[in-house]
Amino acid sequence: MAKVLVVGGGGREHAIVHALSKSAKVDEIYAIPGNAGIAKLAMCVNIKDNDVEGIVDFAKAEAVDLVVVGPEATLALGIIDELTKAGIKAFGPTKSAAMIEASKNFAKELMLKYDIPTARFEVFNDYKEALEYVKISPFPTVIKYDGLAQGKGVVIANNLKEADETLKDMLLDDKFGHGKVVIEEYLEGPEFSLMCFVDGVNVYPLEMAQDHKRAYDNDLGPNTGGMGAYSPLPFITEDDSKYAMEKIMIPTAKAMVNEGVPFKGVLYGGLMKTKKGIKVIEFNCRFGDPETEVVLPRLTSDIYDAFMAIVDGNKPVLSWEKCYTIGIVLASKGYPGSYQKGYVINNADNENIYHMGTKIDENGNLVTNGGRVLFAVGKGDTLEEANKNAISIVNEIECENLFHRTDIGAKAYRK
Ligand code: AMP
Ligand code: GLY
């Protein structure tokens, strides 16, 4: 029987831990740091998820059979390299391969070199040169900080004033740190997420999902880390899937091998179905959040076996329940702006709820502990049914400081 350590403490990691808990081969699960929901399925260990040395020491001391890493920041620090050096099997990319997410510039240059469809772009580290370029570019234009910025490093500038302010923030005031910017062509169309298990050149797709980034219904309000997701996607045809695999995901894996930075782990393609074909918006080097929380509940094969297959260079078995899932985020009022924590949550004891930001307080109560707090997943034979089930789970939860969207997946099922 296997001992597995999962690094991270959000809804994504709760979904990974939940899937691992269903494996007949796994009998002990640890989470660093985990959360109050994960604690029901795993032993949570109070180590920071960016404390690479602490995590490696723990994995060695407990002689875990496998480590699965959720957050990109931990991957970009090189945790997989360190675990591998210590002789511990770990699922995820090396520090060099994590560059595909950690540096927008690296990802864009790779796509240019290997002819992988993406928005046209230019890279700048000089404020004045960048400003001259946007003066002659059409609006809206997209300005991206070249580094990890917790999802906040992308600005869609509608006019020169907005572009100028963004360039000042990123290049003169170093708002996210000292770095470059990528300025790219604005693309339009529905976005979708294609996560693939990748072992060097071999690429195995998971089922697709769509995130909903805006805070409020009808895609209004500010961008967030994601307010809900659903899977699979009726607007993606078989031809679209084939194109996304053959023109984007497989060539990208091959390109990484060719560049001497083979990718192992989950390669996440953030793709857009534009009128001129499917194009890459971004790559991530990890499971998506909240996409993972609607995709993994549909997995019927053993996830531990699949992780081990990728780590050992074998073909994983991935099979899926033929159903729809819709997941709704319950977020703290005020999110993604400022919000308060510590509100008591009742009636959230349900296998279909993943915890994103919760903890048990000193009185033993489950309380809110983040911007995004809970994620309720409904399943059904149709998207309408999945939505009804998700909403009924949401309605049972008692907490006075949470809000949620009511239209996750609606574009796909409302005529
Ligand atoms: P990223 O962090 O690169 O995924 O960007 C965050 C969000 O900005 C994406 O999910 C898109 O909605 C939007 N975005 C990024 N690049 C573009 C683009 N070239 N055209 C239109 N929207 C974009
Ligand atoms: N759902 C977007 C992300 O995981 O980056």
Side-chain angles (χ1 to χ4, degrees):
M1 292 296 273
K3 273 189 195 178
V4 185
L5 166 63
V6 176
V7 177
R12 167 181 58 199
E13 289 78 17
H14 193 174
I16 294 169
V17 166
H18 183 220
L20 280 165
S21 73
K22 292 192 274 188
S23 166
K25 308 228 172 89
V26 175
D27 69 341
E28 274 179 82
I29 308 175
Y30 297 100
I32 291 179
N35 62 35
I38 293 174
K40 300 214 159 158
L41 302 168
M43 173 86 79
C44 294
V45 185
N46 192 14
I47 296 176
K48 289 216 163 66
D49 67 9
N50 60 3
D51 177 1
V52 172
E53 210 183 308
I55 297 168
V56 175
D57 285 347
F58 178 84
K60 274 202 286 197
E62 291 301 324
V64 300
D65 298 286
L66 173 70
V67 181
V68 182
V69 180
E72 64 274 18
T74 315
L75 292 163
L77 286 171
I79 189 165
I80 302 295
D81 312 59
E82 296 307 316
L83 288 165
T84 308
K85 261 190 238 158
I88 296 161
K89 291 192 178 186
F91 180 85
T94 59
K95 181 175 180 162
S96 328
M99 284 276 281
I100 198 154
E101 172 167 5
S103 168
K104 302 261 183 210
N105 184 18
F106 173 86
K108 294 297 285 190
E109 296 290 353
L110 188 84
M111 288 186 268
L112 182 67
K113 182 168 172 187
Y114 292 90
D115 216 7
I116 293 158
T118 189
R120 283 192 307 274
F121 73 101
E122 294 285 340
V123 184
F124 297 93
N125 51 27
D126 181 78
Y127 162 73
K128 277 195 185 138
E129 283 175 24
L131 188 65
E132 288 312 310
Y133 178 77
V134 290
K135 277 185 186 161
I136 54 160
S137 319
F139 287 99
T141 191
V142 185
I143 304 177
K144 300 185 175 184
Y145 175 70
D146 177 39
L148 294 179
Q150 295 189 311
K152 293 181 183 126
V154 176
V155 173
I156 298 180
N158 290 302
N159 51 52
L160 187 58
K161 186 167 168 279
E162 285 175 17
D164 188 16
E165 277 164 13
T166 304
L167 292 173
K168 277 191 184 127
D169 278 351
M170 291 184 185
L171 291 174
L172 294 182
D173 300 340
D174 293 346
K175 190 169 166 186
F176 303 107
H178 187 65
K180 298 180 239 184
V181 298
V182 173
I183 302 182
E184 66 178 45
E185 172 197 11
Y186 177 76
L187 299 176
E188 277 177 287
E191 285 179 61
F192 62 103
S193 309
L194 171 53
M195 298 185 277
C196 295
F197 277 14
V198 178
D199 142 32
V201 292
N202 300 306
V203 183
Y204 308 98
L206 310 191
E207 291 277 283
M208 292 187 205
Q210 189 184 48
D211 187 5
H212 292 54
K213 297 246 184 206
R214 298 296 190 123
Y216 315 127
D217 280 5
N218 301 313
D219 291 329
L220 296 174
N223 258 321
T224 69
M227 292 298 294
Y230 74 98
S231 172
L233 306 177
F235 68 91
I236 297 297
T237 64
E238 255 179 49
D239 282 351
D240 290 337
S241 305
K242 205 164 165 244
Y243 183 92
M245 286 302 291
E246 288 175 4
K247 301 287 182 203
I248 295 174
M249 303 308 290
I250 295 169
T252 301
K254 285 192 178 148
M256 295 291 279
V257 171
N258 213 33
E259 292 295 307
V261 284
F263 190 97
K264 262 198 179 198
V266 185
L267 181 62
Y268 166 122
L271 311 179
M272 189 186 268
K273 185 171 171 172
T274 77
K275 289 207 174 98
K276 292 185 184 156
I278 295 172
K279 298 193 182 190
V280 178
I281 294 289
E282 65 166 347
F283 282 118
N284 291 328
C285 66
R286 49 159 175 94
F287 279 104
D289 194 354
E291 291 91 331
T292 302
E293 294 95 302
V294 289
V295 170
L296 292 189
R298 298 186 49 227
L299 183 72
T300 52
S301 49
D302 187 311
I303 199 166
Y304 175 75
D305 283 343
F307 285 144
M308 285 309 243
I310 291 294
V311 172
D312 293 335
N314 299 322
K315 185 173 183 204
V317 176
L318 296 166
S319 50
W320 304 96
E321 189 178 339
K322 286 217 175 338
C323 67
Y324 289 92
T325 43
I326 287 189
I328 302 173
V329 171
L330 290 101
S332 296
K333 286 179 186 165
Y335 174 79
S338 60
Y339 54 84
Q340 291 185 327
K341 299 181 191 176
Y343 285 84
V344 175
I345 305 166
N346 283 313
N347 270 347
D349 207 3
N350 184 322
E351 233 217 334
N352 301 307
I353 297 175
Y354 294 126
H355 290 222
M356 304 183 97
T358 61
K359 69 168 190 183
I360 303 291
D361 74 2
E362 55 281 5
N363 304 316
N365 291 319
L366 177 68
V367 296
T368 63
N369 193 38
R372 292 184 300 167
V373 176
L374 296 169
F375 190 83
V377 182
K379 263 191 193 177
D381 290 336
T382 61
L383 278 171
E384 286 96 324
E385 195 185 322
N387 187 50
K388 254 192 219 145
N389 291 334
I391 294 276
S392 75
I393 297 168
V394 168
N395 287 340
E396 280 175 18
I397 298 168
E398 291 168 14
C399 180
E400 59 182 270
N401 197 46
L402 297 177
F403 77 98
H404 63 89
R405 280 182 62 160
T406 62
D407 66 341
I408 304 303
K411 278 193 191 140
Y413 68 81
R414 274 188 204 146
K415 297 289 172 293

